[in-house]
Amino acid sequence: MHPPPPAAAMEFSQNSLFGYMEDLQELTIIERPVRRSLKTPEEIERLTVDEDLSDIERAVYLLSAGQDIQGTSVIANLPFLMRQNPAETLRRILPKVREVLHVAGVEMQLTAAVSFLTILQEESVSIHTYAHSFLQVILLHLEHRDAGVSNAWLETLLSVIEVLPKETLRHEILNPLVSKAQLSQTVQSRLVSCKILGKLTNKFDALAIKREILPLVKSLCQDVEYEVRSCMCRQLENIAQGIGTELTKSVVLPELIELSRDEGSSVRLAAFETLVNLLDIFDTDDRSQTILPLVKSFCEKSFKADESILISLSFHLGKLCHGLYGIFTPDQHLRFLEFYKKLCTLGLQQENGHNENQIPPQILEQEKKYISVRKNCAYNFPAMIVFVDPKNFHMDLYSTFFCLCHDPEVPVRYTIAICFYEVSKLLNSGVYLIHKELITLLQDESLEVLDALIDHLPEILELMSTGGESSVQENKLSSLPDLIPALTAAEQRAAASLKWRTHEKLLQKYACLPHIISSDQIYYRFLQRMFTIVMTNNVLPVQKAASRTLCIFLRYNRKQEQRHEVIQKLIEQLGQGKSYWNRLRFLDTCEFIIEIFSKSFFCKYFFLPAIELTHDPVANVRMKLCYLLPKVKSTLKIPADKHLLQQLEMCVRKLLCQEKDKDVLATVKRTVLELDRMEMSMDAFQKKFYEKDLLDQEKEREELLLLEMEQLGKEKQQNDGRPTSDKTFEKKRRDTKTPTTLPKNIPISVPGPSSGTPSTSKEIKKSKLIRSQSFNNQAFHAKYGNLDKCAGKSSTAAYTPSVSGLTKTSVISLTDDSFRPRNAGSAPSSFSSNTPLPSTSRGTGNSGDPKSSGSKDTQPRKATLKSRKSNP
């Protein structure tokens, strides 16, 4: 027997029961309106329409006898009816629409305004017909009692004014406007008149504006309601652009001066913003004698007035500095700069030790306005650098920049992060002054700030590495010792968050790092991380971004041994991985390799591992390979790669004969048709493929130069600069963490010697080294933007290995620490200094080169994927 529950438990159960009953009662209450909303048979009968009626007849019937929701549906469908049958729609439906709109509700009115505008934009009828049929309906509802409806019809009318002829505008709009703008009319009518006048000035010449429009403008500027004065003041900018400079000075400027002294703060604010926008129209005398005193007065009174004025003032500060640049006296210049600095720290001097819940609402609202002011100051910071001259940045603005980068509010730091690239460009050689602030923003706790900063991260890092005090390539990172830790920490924070788009963008931008830091630093600090993301991340766009960046790191890697380790790891852990997901990512990587590297590079290293996946046990992998096969075939050149073409055809033939999955088989059949239509590229240049062949030849030349540069660099180190002390050598090896032996488990096939034997002349070696070094400087200072465009423009030089490709022999698996340095040892004889540099040109190797020989027997195959179980 179970003991009885304690009293507390009993009470809890009763309370729970009562709670459930209350919930059920609430659900009953919620359901009641639903039951009431169900239609009765009589209502359904009234809503039923004969299916045999045409669209026009049905619309006429619904507008005549239907309910409001049916009439609204007809009006929303009006643009379609106009396209289908404009004549009948204008003759039969539009009169009904006019009748319905007289008594229509808000929803139908808004729908009609949108439909009328759509008909205008689609040009379903001529302008003359539109003005005759629709314009009067629009004008009739401009003064609707609902403000939303009135604004909707006004927006439609303003769009109509753009296309109407002058005579129609004069008779239908301008002449009635004279009476609508009088004081005897409603405020709503006068507000509408202000906006229409601002639009009409672009349609008439200056004489007509002076005679017919400016009297109305002056009258509305002197209106008794501050709303009307403010609205008319904001239209003065459009009017000034329509009447020209002379009339602006004589008519518009006096009105603006008077409105800037208005008793209403919104009117003064509108006058100030209009003056700032019209600065380019006024000459130097007007700016210095009239506008500058107004601006000074406005700035002095802004702290005593409403904070909304400060928000507008801080937003227009950059434009104001630009417009008044050159007319400030030194004292005025200093005072204006101090005013800006004061705005940048507005609200930061207050004590924030109290609890936020205890702060009065008005104080919280004030703090929000102060945040908006500082955000606007951050937005205008580049303009202020121009105002003080970049040479004076350290003395005049650095402390302010520091405060903005360390502002406690995220919107302020976000805005300064957006402006960081512009600031860097303006500082130019003084960009080193803001190195610490770059690190600060990279380490910001808010991912929004990081996301704003990385939009231009490649350009910022390039300026940092080349525009500062230390622009020598070997020492380009010495002035940024915290850059690498900051970049890695930023990536880890993005990876740990749910904002995968920020993570993806950051990985894409990391592709610029080969131009910023050394190859070894990328290899040991970033490359392994990219590989880990490809292997373990769960977001496909992030994996693809990491894979592409990994391929770019491989392209720019300057050590042959490191390249071979990365290639082997890609093939073994992705291409031959246990998870089908990893094998899919291997095919994505192959696509990036085809895009970034030369055709010979892909054929030597990735062609055979890629087509080996035709035997993959997972249908999705085989299907993805089928989509990739046309790109794989495009890397072949005939006749040098004839044996590879035969293997490709054999794999496709096996798929056609043995494939059991119907979706894969259908994809294979489509791929076969596409492969048959493809034209093969030849070893010699062809006219139709000239640009692509030239681009590929440039990539191949860069790969050769990388090998040549590495070999000559080793020889120069041996002959000139390498220390003979074993202790010194060991210390250098530890510092660089560079393995001194090539991986023994990557088979390397070196083509036979070329026609010329390597020369041992010091002059020839010196000239080669100079040429390689000049190529190195050209490549690593190439713009990152060119690399994003398929890494394809010839101006973007890059380095990739050019040795003969991986053969199909069995290789030893790499462990997780395969990127660590290995024990020092002698290099294989195939890469000794006495061996000729390998060539990537096709068809020039001896018969011992398995790639050139075309013999299948000379290429022992790896264990096929059939014998390996997949882990879907």
Side-chain angles (χ1 to χ4, degrees):
M1 255 181 104
H2 297 286
M10 181 88 65
E11 186 179 348
F12 173 76
S13 300
Q14 291 175 354
N15 292 337
S16 300
L17 180 61
F18 289 133
Y20 294 148
M21 291 177 63
E22 290 176 0
D23 292 342
L24 289 174
Q25 289 176 358
E26 290 178 3
L27 288 175
T28 305
I29 294 172
I30 292 174
E31 282 196 15
R32 284 175 187 168
V34 177
R35 289 176 183 171
R36 291 192 187 122
S37 66
L38 296 176
K39 303 298 181 184
T40 63
E42 293 80 9
E43 290 174 329
I44 294 175
E45 182 66 24
R46 286 200 304 269
L47 293 172
T48 304
V49 181
D50 188 359
E51 295 181 358
D52 296 332
L53 295 177
S54 66
D55 291 339
I56 300 294
E57 291 172 342
R58 186 184 299 110
V60 172
Y61 172 78
L62 292 177
L63 287 171
S64 303
Q67 296 189 2
D68 286 348
I69 188 171
Q70 293 175 315
T72 303
S73 175
V74 171
I75 293 176
N77 203 37
L78 202 57
F80 171 76
L81 295 173
M82 286 294 298
R83 291 193 300 269
Q84 191 180 50
N85 194 342
E88 285 297 305
T89 302
L90 292 175
R91 187 176 69 85
R92 300 184 59 186
I93 297 178
L94 195 58
K96 292 290 183 181
V97 171
R98 291 197 193 99
E99 294 177 8
V100 170
L101 286 178
H102 281 295
V103 293
V106 171
E107 185 177 356
M108 189 179 290
Q109 289 275 356
L110 294 174
T111 304
V114 173
S115 295
F116 281 26
L117 180 59
T118 304
I119 294 171
L120 174 71
Q121 294 170 343
E122 292 180 353
E123 299 180 358
S124 303
V125 293
S126 65
I127 297 299
H128 176 74
T129 304
Y130 187 93
H132 181 265
S133 304
F134 294 93
L135 183 58
Q136 288 303 320
V137 182
I138 297 172
L139 292 171
L140 185 63
H141 295 92
L142 275 178
E143 298 179 29
H144 194 277
R145 60 182 178 274
D146 185 273
V149 173
S150 178
N151 288 331
W153 285 113
L154 178 61
E155 291 299 321
T156 302
L157 177 62
L158 295 179
S159 299
V160 173
I161 290 174
E162 290 284 349
V163 296
L164 289 179
K166 286 184 180 181
E167 290 305 316
T168 304
L169 288 174
R170 188 184 302 276
H171 290 95
E172 300 292 338
I173 297 178
L174 183 57
N175 290 341
L177 204 63
V178 176
S179 61
K180 296 289 184 182
Q182 300 301 318
L183 284 174
S184 58
Q185 299 293 325
T186 63
V187 174
Q188 178 68 18
S189 175
R190 304 203 298 274
L191 289 173
V192 169
S193 300
C194 293
K195 295 179 181 179
I196 294 176
L197 286 173
K199 199 71 174 180
L200 285 175
T201 52
N202 296 325
K203 303 296 294 184
F204 294 96
D205 54 27
L207 184 60
I209 294 173
K210 182 179 180 180
R211 186 177 64 251
E212 301 179 42
I213 294 180
L214 285 183
L216 293 176
V217 171
K218 289 182 178 181
S219 172
L220 290 169
C221 284
Q222 304 297 327
D223 197 277
V224 295
E225 297 293 336
Y226 74 92
E227 295 172 317
V228 179
R229 298 197 302 273
S230 176
C231 183
M232 191 66 253
C233 183
R234 294 191 180 277
Q235 300 302 320
L236 290 179
E237 180 182 354
N238 295 329
I239 294 172
Q241 293 172 355
I243 62 178
T245 305
E246 294 302 322
L247 279 176
T248 299
K249 289 181 181 180
S250 60
V251 179
V252 175
L253 185 56
E255 293 294 335
L256 282 174
I257 293 172
E258 186 173 352
L259 291 170
S260 66
R261 303 188 181 102
D262 196 275
E263 59 184 9
S265 61
S266 62
V267 181
R268 296 197 303 270
L269 184 60
F272 170 75
E273 293 178 355
T274 305
L275 275 172
V276 173
N277 293 332
L278 292 177
L279 279 175
D280 293 337
I281 295 180
F282 303 120
D283 55 25
T284 305
D285 291 338
D286 291 328
R287 295 179 193 178
S288 59
Q289 298 175 9
T290 306
I291 298 177
L292 184 57
L294 287 176
V295 171
K296 287 172 58 180
S297 174
F298 197 81
C299 293
E300 291 170 356
K301 296 177 181 178
S302 58
F303 283 100
K304 302 176 184 178
D306 184 23
E307 284 81 6
S308 59
I309 296 180
L310 278 177
I311 295 175
S312 176
L313 178 60
S314 60
F315 180 76
H316 291 90
L317 213 52
K319 190 182 292 186
L320 197 60
C321 291
H322 176 73
L324 298 178
Y325 187 79
I327 67 172
F328 284 111
T329 64
D331 182 59
Q332 291 171 340
H333 188 280
L334 182 60
R335 290 176 62 184
F336 204 81
L337 179 60
E338 291 300 323
F339 176 76
Y340 171 77
K341 291 181 179 180
K342 187 175 180 180
L343 290 180
C344 289
T345 57
L346 189 65
L348 296 180
Q349 300 86 354
Q350 300 177 0
E351 294 293 334
N352 293 322
H354 42 261
N355 188 359
E356 186 171 325
N357 296 327
Q358 301 174 353
I359 304 176
Q362 60 270 21
I363 300 298
L364 284 175
E365 190 66 26
Q366 186 185 53
E367 288 184 357
K368 291 180 181 179
K369 292 180 179 179
Y370 287 163
I371 293 171
S372 298
V373 170
R374 299 201 304 273
K375 177 183 174 181
N376 291 338
C377 288
Y379 168 77
N380 284 300
F381 193 84
M384 296 307 297
I385 293 180
V386 176
F387 181 68
V388 301
D389 195 314
K391 296 178 181 178
N392 301 322
F393 169 79
H394 184 65
M395 182 183 301
D396 293 337
L397 283 177
Y398 175 75
S399 59
T400 303
F401 186 70
F402 178 87
C403 290
L404 293 173
C405 290
H406 292 80
D407 195 277
E409 300 297 331
V410 172
V412 181
R413 303 198 304 274
Y414 173 84
T415 307
I416 201 65
I418 292 177
C419 300
F420 199 95
Y421 174 52
E422 293 297 325
V423 174
S424 302
K425 283 197 302 184
L426 290 170
L427 293 180
N428 197 8
S429 61
V431 72
Y432 66 92
L433 294 170
I434 58 173
H435 284 173
K436 293 181 180 179
E437 283 63 42
L438 172 63
I439 304 301
T440 298
L441 294 177
L442 282 172
Q443 295 174 339
D444 196 280
E445 60 184 10
S446 171
L447 281 181
E448 295 179 11
V449 177
L450 178 63
D451 188 82
L453 183 67
I454 61 179
D455 282 334
H456 291 285
L457 185 62
E459 295 86 353
I460 293 171
L461 292 179
E462 183 180 358
L463 288 170
M464 291 287 182
S465 62
T466 60
E469 289 180 330
S470 177
S471 59
V472 181
Q473 186 174 352
E474 288 76 9
N475 299 323
K476 58 186 175 182
L477 196 63
S478 60
S479 58
L480 278 172
D482 299 328
L483 175 63
I484 294 179
L487 290 173
T488 54
E491 188 276 323
Q492 289 170 1
R493 277 188 291 110
S497 72
L498 297 178
K499 297 183 178 181
W500 62 265
R501 288 181 177 85
T502 299
H503 193 199
E504 177 195 16
K505 188 196 300 186
L506 185 61
L507 295 176
Q508 291 170 347
K509 301 301 181 181
Y510 276 5
C512 74
L513 291 180
H515 308 293
I516 309 300
I517 59 180
S518 69
S519 175
D520 278 345
Q521 288 167 326
I522 291 175
Y523 182 77
Y524 291 109
R525 300 300 298 272
F526 294 97
L527 201 145
Q528 173 62 39
R529 176 60 181 165
M530 296 300 111
F531 197 87
T532 302
I533 294 171
V534 175
M535 293 283 291
T536 62
N537 198 279
N538 295 324
V539 183
L540 181 58
V542 172
Q543 285 182 307
K544 287 189 174 183
S547 176
R548 192 177 193 281
T549 301
L550 175 64
C551 293
I552 293 173
F553 287 169
L554 178 62
R555 176 182 173 90
Y556 282 84
N557 190 282
R558 302 183 63 188
K559 292 191 176 178
Q560 207 170 50
E561 178 183 5
Q562 295 175 358
R563 293 194 295 271
H564 293 154
E565 286 194 19
V566 176
I567 292 169
Q568 182 175 353
K569 200 164 185 178
L570 286 172
I571 293 172
E572 291 186 351
Q573 297 191 23
L574 286 182
Q576 299 170 4
K578 292 182 179 180
S579 170
Y580 86 103
W581 190 255
N582 288 341
R583 301 195 294 277
L584 288 174
R585 301 293 72 77
F586 176 73
L587 293 176
D588 289 331
T589 305
C590 287
E591 192 170 357
F592 294 136
I593 293 289
I594 294 172
E595 172 192 346
I596 294 170
F597 291 83
S598 68
K599 295 179 180 180
S600 62
F601 180 91
F602 177 81
C603 289
K604 290 175 183 179
Y605 292 107
F606 292 96
F607 185 91
L608 296 177
I611 64 172
E612 189 74 25
L613 292 179
T614 53
H615 308 294
D616 196 277
V618 179
N620 284 357
V621 178
R622 300 194 301 274
M623 182 180 294
K624 189 175 182 66
L625 176 63
C626 291
Y627 287 120
L628 186 63
L629 285 179
K631 291 185 178 180
V632 171
K633 185 179 179 181
S634 69
T635 63
L636 301 178
K637 287 187 178 182
I638 300 300
D641 295 325
K642 186 177 180 180
H643 65 292
L644 295 179
L645 179 62
Q646 291 173 351
Q647 292 202 31
L648 176 63
E649 292 173 347
M650 182 178 64
C651 290
V652 174
R653 199 175 299 115
K654 284 184 179 180
L655 280 174
L656 280 172
C657 298
Q658 301 174 5
E659 184 58 55
K660 297 180 180 179
D661 188 282
K662 61 179 182 179
D663 295 325
V664 178
L665 185 59
T667 305
V668 172
K669 290 179 180 179
R670 290 195 299 268
T671 303
V672 168
L673 295 176
E674 186 175 353
L675 291 173
D676 289 342
R677 288 194 296 266
M678 288 181 63
E679 296 187 29
M680 294 295 297
S681 180
M682 309 297 290
D683 282 339
F685 276 72
Q686 296 173 278
K687 188 174 182 180
K688 63 177 67 176
F689 301 119
Y690 180 77
E691 291 185 1
K692 293 182 179 179
D693 289 343
L694 192 65
L695 177 61
D696 185 68
Q697 187 186 54
E698 179 66 21
K699 293 179 181 178
E700 200 165 336
R701 183 184 69 85
E702 293 164 2
E703 294 166 3
L704 279 170
L705 282 176
L706 174 61
L707 289 172
E708 189 175 321
M709 184 181 66
E710 185 177 9
Q711 188 69 26
L712 292 176
K714 289 180 179 179
E715 293 180 12
K716 182 181 179 182
Q717 186 182 20
Q718 291 173 357
N719 298 333
D720 302 331
R722 190 178 71 173
T724 56
S725 169
D726 292 338
K727 185 176 180 181
T728 307
F729 173 79
E730 186 65 16
K731 181 178 182 298
K732 287 189 68 177
R733 190 185 68 81
R734 286 197 307 268
D735 291 342
T736 58
K737 297 184 180 180
T738 304
T740 56
T741 59
L742 291 173
K744 298 179 181 179
N745 48 3
I746 297 186
I748 301 297
S749 174
V750 180
S754 57
S755 58
T757 58
S759 174
T760 58
S761 169
K762 291 185 178 180
E763 289 77 6
I764 295 178
K765 289 184 178 181
K766 185 176 180 181
S767 64
K768 284 184 177 181
L769 184 58
I770 292 173
R771 178 164 59 93
S772 301
Q773 289 174 343
S774 65
F775 171 76
N776 172 33
N777 293 334
Q778 174 191 358
F780 281 88
H781 286 84
K783 289 289 183 183
Y784 163 71
N786 295 336
L787 185 60
D788 270 346
K789 298 175 182 176
C790 302
K793 295 186 180 178
S794 57
S795 61
T796 306
Y799 305 106
T800 51
S802 177
V803 295
S804 296
L806 292 171
T807 60
K808 298 287 286 183
T809 53
S810 178
V811 292
I812 302 173
S813 298
L814 285 169
T815 59
D816 289 339
D817 59 347
S818 58
F819 284 84
R820 297 176 184 172
R822 301 167 182 242
N823 294 331
S826 59
S829 58
S830 60
F831 287 95
S832 64
S833 58
N834 295 327
T835 305
L837 291 173
S839 170
T840 56
S841 59
R842 304 167 189 254
T844 59
N846 60 8
S847 60
D849 186 357
K851 183 173 180 182
S852 302
S853 63
S855 172
K856 299 176 185 177
D857 298 333
T858 59
Q859 301 184 36
R861 301 180 61 83
K862 295 179 186 174
T864 62
L865 293 174
K866 289 181 180 178
S867 62
R868 175 177 45 77
K869 290 185 179 180
S870 162
N871 182 23

